[in-house]
mmCIF file of all heavy atoms in Angstrom:
data_model
loop_
_atom_site.group_PDB
_atom_site.id
_atom_site.type_symbol
_atom_site.label_atom_id
_atom_site.label_comp_id
_atom_site.label_asym_id
_atom_site.label_seq_id
_atom_site.Cartn_x
_atom_site.Cartn_y
_atom_site.Cartn_z
ATOM 1 N N LYS O 153 -58.406 218.150 221.523
ATOM 2 C CA LYS O 153 -59.368 217.047 221.576
ATOM 3 C C LYS O 153 -60.769 217.572 221.947
ATOM 4 O O LYS O 153 -61.772 217.222 221.323
ATOM 5 C CB LYS O 153 -58.889 216.018 222.611
ATOM 6 C CG LYS O 153 -59.675 214.725 222.596
ATOM 7 C CD LYS O 153 -59.122 213.775 223.650
ATOM 8 C CE LYS O 153 -60.196 212.788 224.052
ATOM 9 N NZ LYS O 153 -59.915 212.169 225.335
ATOM 10 N N ILE O 154 -60.809 218.427 222.966
ATOM 11 C CA ILE O 154 -62.115 218.966 223.394
ATOM 12 C C ILE O 154 -62.723 219.816 222.271
ATOM 13 O O ILE O 154 -63.903 219.687 221.953
ATOM 14 C CB ILE O 154 -61.982 219.781 224.708
ATOM 15 C CG1 ILE O 154 -61.585 218.846 225.857
ATOM 16 C CG2 ILE O 154 -63.291 220.517 225.028
ATOM 17 C CD1 ILE O 154 -61.369 219.523 227.189
ATOM 18 N N ASN O 155 -61.911 220.640 221.639
ATOM 19 C CA ASN O 155 -62.464 221.490 220.568
ATOM 20 C C ASN O 155 -62.903 220.679 219.351
ATOM 21 O O ASN O 155 -63.900 221.008 218.716
ATOM 22 C CB ASN O 155 -61.460 222.588 220.197
ATOM 23 C CG ASN O 155 -61.481 223.705 221.220
ATOM 24 O OD1 ASN O 155 -62.539 224.019 221.773
ATOM 25 N ND2 ASN O 155 -60.345 224.303 221.494
ATOM 26 N N LYS O 156 -62.202 219.602 219.085
ATOM 27 C CA LYS O 156 -62.605 218.727 217.985
ATOM 28 C C LYS O 156 -63.964 218.096 218.328
ATOM 29 O O LYS O 156 -64.860 218.013 217.486
ATOM 30 C CB LYS O 156 -61.539 217.647 217.767
ATOM 31 C CG LYS O 156 -61.728 216.887 216.472
ATOM 32 C CD LYS O 156 -60.608 215.900 216.232
ATOM 33 C CE LYS O 156 -60.990 214.982 215.067
ATOM 34 N NZ LYS O 156 -60.163 213.785 215.027
ATOM 35 N N GLY O 157 -64.095 217.683 219.577
ATOM 36 C CA GLY O 157 -65.359 217.088 220.023
ATOM 37 C C GLY O 157 -66.512 218.073 219.924
ATOM 38 O O GLY O 157 -67.597 217.738 219.435
ATOM 39 N N ARG O 158 -66.268 219.289 220.361
ATOM 40 C CA ARG O 158 -67.321 220.318 220.288
ATOM 41 C C ARG O 158 -67.739 220.566 218.846
ATOM 42 O O ARG O 158 -68.917 220.713 218.533
ATOM 43 C CB ARG O 158 -66.833 221.638 220.912
ATOM 44 C CG ARG O 158 -66.784 221.571 222.417
ATOM 45 C CD ARG O 158 -66.457 222.926 223.047
ATOM 46 N NE ARG O 158 -66.377 222.774 224.494
ATOM 47 C CZ ARG O 158 -65.988 223.720 225.330
ATOM 48 N NH1 ARG O 158 -65.633 224.897 224.861
ATOM 49 N NH2 ARG O 158 -65.955 223.500 226.625
ATOM 50 N N SER O 159 -66.741 220.604 217.990
ATOM 51 C CA SER O 159 -66.998 220.841 216.572
ATOM 52 C C SER O 159 -67.845 219.701 215.993
ATOM 53 O O SER O 159 -68.815 219.920 215.268
ATOM 54 C CB SER O 159 -65.656 220.955 215.849
ATOM 55 O OG SER O 159 -65.856 220.993 214.472
ATOM 56 N N GLN O 160 -67.499 218.480 216.354
ATOM 57 C CA GLN O 160 -68.227 217.315 215.828
ATOM 58 C C GLN O 160 -69.656 217.251 216.361
ATOM 59 O O GLN O 160 -70.592 216.934 215.636
ATOM 60 C CB GLN O 160 -67.467 216.030 216.171
ATOM 61 C CG GLN O 160 -66.207 215.863 215.320
ATOM 62 C CD GLN O 160 -65.346 214.697 215.752
ATOM 63 O OE1 GLN O 160 -65.320 214.331 216.919
ATOM 64 N NE2 GLN O 160 -64.625 214.117 214.814
ATOM 65 N N TYR O 161 -69.809 217.548 217.642
ATOM 66 C CA TYR O 161 -71.147 217.533 218.249
ATOM 67 C C TYR O 161 -72.032 218.567 217.549
ATOM 68 O O TYR O 161 -73.178 218.301 217.188
ATOM 69 C CB TYR O 161 -71.033 217.847 219.744
ATOM 70 C CG TYR O 161 -72.341 217.718 220.504
ATOM 71 C CD1 TYR O 161 -72.780 216.478 220.951
ATOM 72 C CD2 TYR O 161 -73.136 218.827 220.782
ATOM 73 C CE1 TYR O 161 -73.976 216.349 221.647
ATOM 74 C CE2 TYR O 161 -74.332 218.702 221.473
ATOM 75 C CZ TYR O 161 -74.744 217.466 221.914
ATOM 76 O OH TYR O 161 -75.928 217.347 222.602
ATOM 77 N N TYR O 162 -71.468 219.763 217.340
ATOM 78 C CA TYR O 162 -72.219 220.845 216.693
ATOM 79 C C TYR O 162 -72.605 220.469 215.261
ATOM 80 O O TYR O 162 -73.754 220.602 214.859
ATOM 81 C CB TYR O 162 -71.365 222.119 216.702
ATOM 82 C CG TYR O 162 -72.040 223.331 216.108
ATOM 83 C CD1 TYR O 162 -72.887 224.122 216.884
ATOM 84 C CD2 TYR O 162 -71.839 223.710 214.785
ATOM 85 C CE1 TYR O 162 -73.511 225.251 216.352
ATOM 86 C CE2 TYR O 162 -72.460 224.825 214.243
ATOM 87 C CZ TYR O 162 -73.289 225.591 215.034
ATOM 88 O OH TYR O 162 -73.914 226.703 214.501
ATOM 89 N N SER O 163 -71.642 219.977 214.507
ATOM 90 C CA SER O 163 -71.907 219.605 213.108
ATOM 91 C C SER O 163 -72.954 218.509 213.033
ATOM 92 O O SER O 163 -73.821 218.511 212.152
ATOM 93 C CB SER O 163 -70.641 219.068 212.436
ATOM 94 O OG SER O 163 -69.640 220.017 212.480
ATOM 95 N N PHE O 164 -72.859 217.562 213.950
ATOM 96 C CA PHE O 164 -73.749 216.403 213.938
ATOM 97 C C PHE O 164 -75.216 216.840 214.085
ATOM 98 O O PHE O 164 -76.096 216.337 213.397
ATOM 99 C CB PHE O 164 -73.357 215.466 215.087
ATOM 100 C CG PHE O 164 -74.110 214.171 215.110
ATOM 101 C CD1 PHE O 164 -73.734 213.132 214.270
ATOM 102 C CD2 PHE O 164 -75.182 213.983 215.964
ATOM 103 C CE1 PHE O 164 -74.426 211.929 214.283
ATOM 104 C CE2 PHE O 164 -75.879 212.785 215.981
ATOM 105 C CZ PHE O 164 -75.505 211.747 215.136
ATOM 106 N N TYR O 165 -75.461 217.780 214.989
ATOM 107 C CA TYR O 165 -76.850 218.171 215.247
ATOM 108 C C TYR O 165 -77.347 219.361 214.420
ATOM 109 O O TYR O 165 -78.542 219.632 214.374
ATOM 110 C CB TYR O 165 -77.056 218.451 216.746
ATOM 111 C CG TYR O 165 -77.147 217.153 217.513
ATOM 112 C CD1 TYR O 165 -76.144 216.753 218.389
ATOM 113 C CD2 TYR O 165 -78.233 216.294 217.329
ATOM 114 C CE1 TYR O 165 -76.208 215.546 219.059
ATOM 115 C CE2 TYR O 165 -78.306 215.086 217.995
ATOM 116 C CZ TYR O 165 -77.295 214.717 218.855
ATOM 117 O OH TYR O 165 -77.377 213.513 219.497
ATOM 118 N N THR O 166 -76.432 220.121 213.849
ATOM 119 C CA THR O 166 -76.875 221.324 213.144
ATOM 120 C C THR O 166 -76.623 221.246 211.637
ATOM 121 O O THR O 166 -77.167 222.065 210.884
ATOM 122 C CB THR O 166 -76.112 222.571 213.663
ATOM 123 O OG1 THR O 166 -74.738 222.442 213.277
ATOM 124 C CG2 THR O 166 -76.204 222.702 215.173
ATOM 125 N N ASN O 167 -75.756 220.309 211.245
ATOM 126 C CA ASN O 167 -75.337 220.224 209.846
ATOM 127 C C ASN O 167 -74.670 221.534 209.385
ATOM 128 O O ASN O 167 -74.762 221.916 208.224
ATOM 129 C CB ASN O 167 -76.538 219.883 208.954
ATOM 130 C CG ASN O 167 -76.112 219.146 207.707
ATOM 131 O OD1 ASN O 167 -75.028 218.543 207.681
ATOM 132 N ND2 ASN O 167 -76.912 219.205 206.663
ATOM 133 N N GLN O 168 -74.091 222.228 210.321
ATOM 134 C CA GLN O 168 -73.352 223.469 210.024
ATOM 135 C C GLN O 168 -71.922 223.315 210.534
ATOM 136 O O GLN O 168 -71.649 222.467 211.372
ATOM 137 C CB GLN O 168 -73.992 224.661 210.754
ATOM 138 C CG GLN O 168 -75.356 225.026 210.240
ATOM 139 C CD GLN O 168 -75.928 226.279 210.896
ATOM 140 O OE1 GLN O 168 -76.856 226.853 210.374
ATOM 141 N NE2 GLN O 168 -75.412 226.687 212.047
ATOM 142 N N HIS O 169 -71.074 224.179 210.046
ATOM 143 C CA HIS O 169 -69.666 224.101 210.432
ATOM 144 C C HIS O 169 -69.407 225.004 211.638
ATOM 145 O O HIS O 169 -69.619 226.218 211.568
ATOM 146 C CB HIS O 169 -68.804 224.500 209.231
ATOM 147 C CG HIS O 169 -67.350 224.270 209.453
ATOM 148 N ND1 HIS O 169 -66.819 223.012 209.645
ATOM 149 C CD2 HIS O 169 -66.305 225.128 209.540
ATOM 150 C CE1 HIS O 169 -65.518 223.127 209.837
ATOM 151 N NE2 HIS O 169 -65.177 224.395 209.781
ATOM 152 N N TRP O 170 -68.969 224.393 212.717
ATOM 153 C CA TRP O 170 -68.673 225.121 213.964
ATOM 154 C C TRP O 170 -67.567 226.147 213.716
ATOM 155 O O TRP O 170 -66.518 225.795 213.161
ATOM 156 C CB TRP O 170 -68.215 224.098 215.005
ATOM 157 C CG TRP O 170 -68.116 224.575 216.415
ATOM 158 C CD1 TRP O 170 -69.129 224.993 217.213
ATOM 159 C CD2 TRP O 170 -66.931 224.594 217.235
ATOM 160 N NE1 TRP O 170 -68.659 225.280 218.469
ATOM 161 C CE2 TRP O 170 -67.314 225.048 218.508
ATOM 162 C CE3 TRP O 170 -65.595 224.271 217.017
ATOM 163 C CZ2 TRP O 170 -66.411 225.201 219.558
ATOM 164 C CZ3 TRP O 170 -64.691 224.420 218.064
ATOM 165 C CH2 TRP O 170 -65.102 224.879 219.314
ATOM 166 N N GLY O 171 -67.831 227.397 214.096
ATOM 167 C CA GLY O 171 -66.794 228.427 213.935
ATOM 168 C C GLY O 171 -66.763 229.093 212.570
ATOM 169 O O GLY O 171 -65.971 230.005 212.366
#
Side-chain angles (χ1 to χ4, degrees):
Chain O
K153 190 180 156 200
I154 294 178
N155 282 325
K156 192 176 169 197
R158 286 187 182 173
S159 172
Q160 287 173 330
Y161 186 83
Y162 182 84
S163 301
F164 185 80
Y165 283 111
T166 67
N167 208 22
Q168 292 185 163
H169 188 64
W170 191 65

